[in-house]
Amino acid sequence: AQKITQTQPGMFVQEKEAVTLDCTYDTSDPSYGLFWYKQPSSGEMIFLIYQGSYDQQNATEGRYSLNFQKARKSANLVISASQLGDSAMYFCAMREGNTGGFKTIFGAGTRLFVKA
Amino acid sequence: DAGVIQSPRHEVTEMGQEVTLRCKPISGHDYLFWYRQTMMRGLELLIYFNNNVPIDDSGMPEDRFSAKMPNASFSTLKIQPSEPRDSAVYFCASKDLTDTQYFGPGTRLTVL
């Protein structure tokens, strides 16, 4: 069963507008961590933002924020004021509970295109 | 501080040859992960180490793959013999006690 689902294979956004990339996850463990990574065309994996399952507030890092809705098991990434350099592949990932050690599962990714 | 270092960045080899990929984690990180990324299967965890000890190798595809971590600053992923279906980008990542893994630039492997 897929544990991380990213339903948007591709997204377009106008420069300077905000965009939301969807991610839903599935776990029965109360302790887990959620991540977003960016992979530009150059291929490296860049860490963007992290949310722990016990964190009370949504994580924010500059123009990135994570809309964490625990009951719905969703962890959407919001990018505000999109820039051309934001065009890339974005991966949602989950580190599943203590029983899973530090195994991290990645979603299939969403390709974001920022239009000038 | 230097990030995760991987070598080589690109490797082209012929089927049947042995391939060795190398990784130097971030200093002070005691977890090291090897991933493989393909178009068909996405990003998959192959194996991870804690304090140089392999903890979970359930993602290693078959016996042709092996990984070692002889010390805290070096790890290898070996494929012997290599096959065309092993063509992929192989990433190494490391982390400390916090949750976040930091990735190296990857090795693009092509097996002809």
Side-chain angles (χ1 to χ4, degrees), chain B residues 22-50:
Chain B
R22 296 172 176 79
C23 175
K24 177 179 168 55
I26 293 171
S27 177
H29 284 192
D30 50 6
Y31 286 85
L32 183 140
F33 304 79
W34 281 101
Y35 290 89
R36 178 172 69 175
Q37 186 178 35
T38 61
M39 289 293 291
M40 291 297 293
R41 300 176 66 91
L43 201 60
E44 305 171 277
L45 176 66
L46 300 178
I47 184 171
Y48 78 91
F49 296 83
N50 177 216

Side-chain angles (χ1 to χ4, degrees), chain A residues 33 35 37 39 43 45 47 50 91 95 100-104 106, chain B residues 31 33 35 37 43 45 48 56 58 91 95 99-103:
Chain A
F35 308 81
Y37 285 85
Q39 187 174 42
M45 293 286 287
F47 165 71
Y50 166 79
F91 292 95
R95 185 272 302 157
F102 284 99
K103 245 178 152 165
T104 303
F106 284 77
Chain B
Y31 286 85
F33 304 79
Y35 290 89
Q37 186 178 35
L43 201 60
L45 176 66
Y48 78 91
D56 189 334
S58 59
F91 286 102
K95 68 179 252 353
D99 238 347
T100 302
Q101 295 177 33
Y102 293 92
F103 282 72

Side-chain angles (χ1 to χ4, degrees), chain A residues 89-107:
Chain A
M89 196 77 168
Y90 289 81
F91 292 95
C92 178
M94 176 176 67
R95 185 272 302 157
E96 198 175 21
N98 293 328
T99 55
F102 284 99
K103 245 178 152 165
T104 303
I105 303 163
F106 284 77

Side-chain angles (χ1 to χ4, degrees), chain A residues 21-42:
Chain A
L21 307 184
D22 294 342
C23 174
T24 57
Y25 59 92
D26 182 28
T27 182
S28 57
D29 202 305
S31 174
Y32 52 90
L34 297 158
F35 308 81
W36 279 90
Y37 285 85
K38 172 184 178 181
Q39 187 174 42
S41 56
S42 51

